[in-house]
Amino acid sequence: ISDMLERSQPSIRKLELLGTSMRPDEIMSVLRLIPTVKELVIEGEMLTDEVLRALHITGQDSDDAQLAHALCPKLQSLETHAFEGSVDLIAAVARTRCTESQDFVGYVQGARSLCRLSFVYSKAEIVEALKRSRALKLCEEAGLKIVYRHNV
Protein backbone atom coordinates (compact mmCIF):
# COMPACT_ATOMS: atom_id res chain seq x y z
CA ILE A 1 0.00 0.00 0.00
CA SER A 2 2.77 2.42 0.94
CA ASP A 3 4.50 2.04 -2.43
CA MET A 4 1.28 2.79 -4.31
CA LEU A 5 0.58 5.83 -2.14
CA GLU A 6 4.10 7.16 -2.61
CA ARG A 7 3.84 6.88 -6.38
CA SER A 8 0.33 8.29 -6.77
CA GLN A 9 0.29 10.89 -3.94
CA PRO A 10 -3.52 10.81 -3.74
CA SER A 11 -5.62 13.49 -2.13
CA ILE A 12 -7.66 11.19 0.11
CA ARG A 13 -10.09 12.87 2.47
CA LYS A 14 -11.67 9.77 4.05
CA LEU A 15 -9.78 6.63 4.96
CA GLU A 16 -11.36 3.48 6.40
CA LEU A 17 -9.06 0.91 7.95
CA LEU A 18 -11.59 -1.76 8.93
CA GLY A 19 -11.25 -5.52 8.61
CA THR A 20 -7.55 -5.35 7.83
CA SER A 21 -4.53 -6.27 9.88
CA MET A 22 -1.75 -3.73 9.87
CA ARG A 23 1.08 -3.20 12.31
CA PRO A 24 1.35 0.21 14.00
CA ASP A 25 4.40 1.15 11.88
CA GLU A 26 2.44 0.30 8.69
CA ILE A 27 -0.54 2.39 9.82
CA MET A 28 1.69 5.36 10.60
CA SER A 29 3.53 4.98 7.29
CA VAL A 30 0.24 5.05 5.36
CA LEU A 31 -1.07 8.04 7.32
CA ARG A 32 2.18 9.97 6.75
CA LEU A 33 1.76 9.49 3.01
CA ILE A 34 -1.77 10.95 2.94
CA PRO A 35 -1.78 14.12 5.07
CA THR A 36 -5.03 15.19 3.38
CA VAL A 37 -7.12 12.76 5.48
CA LYS A 38 -9.91 14.63 7.25
CA GLU A 39 -11.96 11.60 8.26
CA LEU A 40 -10.38 8.45 9.67
CA VAL A 41 -12.35 5.27 10.47
CA ILE A 42 -10.18 2.66 12.15
CA GLU A 43 -10.43 -0.62 14.06
CA GLY A 44 -9.88 -0.06 17.77
CA GLU A 45 -7.16 -2.71 17.94
CA MET A 46 -5.18 -0.75 15.34
CA LEU A 47 -5.36 2.39 17.46
CA THR A 48 -2.46 1.32 19.65
CA ASP A 49 -0.62 3.57 22.10
CA GLU A 50 2.07 4.08 19.45
CA VAL A 51 -0.45 5.23 16.84
CA LEU A 52 -2.28 7.45 19.36
CA ARG A 53 1.01 9.10 20.35
CA ALA A 54 1.72 9.76 16.66
CA LEU A 55 -1.72 11.40 16.27
CA HIS A 56 -1.08 13.60 19.32
CA ILE A 57 0.04 17.13 18.45
CA THR A 58 2.54 18.50 20.96
CA GLY A 59 4.00 21.94 21.55
CA GLN A 60 7.04 20.70 19.63
CA ASP A 61 4.83 20.63 16.52
CA SER A 62 4.19 24.36 16.68
CA ASP A 63 5.91 25.42 13.48
CA ASP A 64 4.46 24.72 10.05
CA ALA A 65 7.17 22.21 9.10
CA GLN A 66 6.60 20.13 12.22
CA LEU A 67 2.81 20.27 11.86
CA ALA A 68 3.10 19.09 8.26
CA HIS A 69 4.86 15.95 9.55
CA ALA A 70 2.23 15.20 12.20
CA LEU A 71 -0.09 12.34 11.34
CA CYS A 72 -3.36 13.55 9.83
CA PRO A 73 -2.76 17.28 10.42
CA LYS A 74 -6.19 18.08 8.91
CA LEU A 75 -8.12 15.45 10.85
CA GLN A 76 -11.69 16.55 11.56
CA SER A 77 -13.37 13.23 12.36
CA LEU A 78 -12.02 10.12 14.07
CA GLU A 79 -14.21 7.02 14.32
CA THR A 80 -12.95 3.92 16.07
CA HIS A 81 -14.62 0.51 16.13
CA ALA A 82 -14.30 -1.66 19.26
CA PHE A 83 -11.85 0.73 20.92
CA GLU A 84 -9.99 -0.87 23.83
CA GLY A 85 -6.95 1.37 23.96
CA SER A 86 -5.83 3.98 26.44
CA VAL A 87 -8.62 6.37 27.41
CA ASP A 88 -6.01 8.87 28.58
CA LEU A 89 -4.16 8.80 25.25
CA ILE A 90 -7.24 9.17 23.06
CA ALA A 91 -8.40 12.00 25.33
CA ALA A 92 -4.98 13.65 24.93
CA VAL A 93 -5.25 13.37 21.14
CA ALA A 94 -8.69 15.00 21.24
CA ARG A 95 -7.52 17.71 23.64
CA THR A 96 -4.54 18.72 21.50
CA ARG A 97 -6.76 18.92 18.42
CA CYS A 98 -9.70 20.66 20.08
CA THR A 99 -10.22 24.23 18.84
CA GLU A 100 -10.53 25.91 22.21
CA SER A 101 -7.72 24.00 23.90
CA GLN A 102 -4.57 25.93 24.72
CA ASP A 103 -2.74 22.72 23.82
CA PHE A 104 -4.15 22.80 20.30
CA VAL A 105 -1.34 23.87 18.01
CA GLY A 106 -2.84 22.88 14.66
CA TYR A 107 -5.70 25.35 14.88
CA VAL A 108 -3.35 28.26 15.45
CA GLN A 109 -1.29 27.15 12.45
CA GLY A 110 -4.35 26.97 10.19
CA ALA A 111 -5.07 23.23 10.31
CA ARG A 112 -8.70 22.29 10.87
CA SER A 113 -9.62 21.04 14.29
CA LEU A 114 -11.06 17.70 15.29
CA CYS A 115 -14.80 18.25 15.48
CA ARG A 116 -16.14 14.68 15.78
CA LEU A 117 -14.97 11.65 17.76
CA SER A 118 -17.01 8.45 17.44
CA PHE A 119 -16.83 5.19 19.34
CA VAL A 120 -18.65 2.26 17.72
CA TYR A 121 -19.04 -1.25 19.19
CA SER A 122 -17.01 -0.44 22.30
CA LYS A 123 -17.39 -2.31 25.58
CA ALA A 124 -19.53 -0.71 28.27
CA GLU A 125 -16.62 -0.23 30.71
CA ILE A 126 -14.59 1.59 28.05
CA VAL A 127 -17.55 3.83 27.20
CA GLU A 128 -18.01 4.66 30.89
CA ALA A 129 -14.32 5.52 31.26
CA LEU A 130 -14.51 7.73 28.15
CA LYS A 131 -17.59 9.50 29.52
CA ARG A 132 -15.77 10.14 32.83
CA SER A 133 -12.69 11.62 31.14
CA ARG A 134 -12.24 15.23 32.21
CA ALA A 135 -10.21 16.00 29.07
CA LEU A 136 -13.00 14.71 26.82
CA LYS A 137 -15.59 16.71 28.79
CA LEU A 138 -13.53 19.85 28.20
CA CYS A 139 -13.37 19.06 24.50
CA GLU A 140 -17.14 18.59 24.40
CA GLU A 141 -17.60 21.95 26.09
CA ALA A 142 -15.35 23.45 23.41
CA GLY A 143 -17.57 22.01 20.67
CA LEU A 144 -16.19 18.53 19.98
CA LYS A 145 -19.06 16.17 19.18
CA ILE A 146 -18.51 12.78 20.83
CA VAL A 147 -20.72 9.96 19.59
CA TYR A 148 -21.22 6.51 21.14
CA ARG A 149 -23.02 4.00 18.89
CA HIS A 150 -23.95 0.33 19.08
CA ASN A 151 -21.83 -0.24 22.15
CA VAL A 152 -21.92 -3.56 24.01
Side-chain angles (χ1 to χ4, degrees):
I1 294 176
S2 294
D3 290 338
M4 178 191 71
L5 291 172
E6 268 187 288
R7 285 191 310 272
S8 63
Q9 298 180 346
S11 180
I12 297 173
R13 292 177 181 246
K14 180 177 181 176
L15 179 64
E16 290 189 16
L17 297 174
L18 299 172
T20 183
S21 59
M22 294 174 72
R23 295 184 322 267
D25 59 309
E26 293 172 320
I27 295 164
M28 293 184 298
S29 177
V30 166
L31 293 177
R32 277 190 192 92
L33 292 170
I34 44 176
T36 55
V37 170
K38 292 183 177 185
E39 188 176 345
L40 177 62
V41 180
I42 188 169
E43 291 282 353
E45 67 185 25
M46 295 169 66
L47 215 46
T48 64
D49 288 358
E50 187 178 359
V51 173
L52 285 170
R53 282 188 197 97
L55 286 167
H56 186 272
I57 297 174
T58 67
Q60 298 166 351
D61 297 324
S62 61
D63 64 38
D64 290 333
Q66 288 295 324
L67 188 61
H69 293 296
L71 288 186
C72 305
K74 298 179 180 185
L75 190 64
Q76 295 176 2
S77 176
L78 174 60
E79 179 177 306
T80 179
H81 290 222
F83 178 76
E84 292 188 14
S86 167
V87 171
D88 291 339
L89 277 176
I90 200 157
V93 169
R95 182 154 168 76
T96 61
R97 290 173 176 261
C98 181
T99 303
E100 298 299 319
S101 170
Q102 291 180 352
D103 298 335
F104 183 69
V105 176
Y107 183 75
V108 174
Q109 298 299 325
R112 295 295 304 266
S113 70
L114 184 68
C115 54
R116 183 181 176 94
L117 180 59
S118 302
F119 298 93
V120 183
Y121 303 117
S122 294
K123 292 181 180 176
E125 59 268 17
I126 296 289
V127 170
E128 289 307 311
L130 291 162
K131 288 181 176 180
R132 285 192 308 268
S133 168
R134 176 143 167 67
L136 287 178
K137 285 179 186 174
L138 290 171
C139 288
E140 276 187 301
E141 290 171 10
L144 177 66
K145 182 168 178 68
I146 301 177
V147 178
Y148 303 95
R149 294 183 305 159
H150 309 295
N151 293 305
V152 292

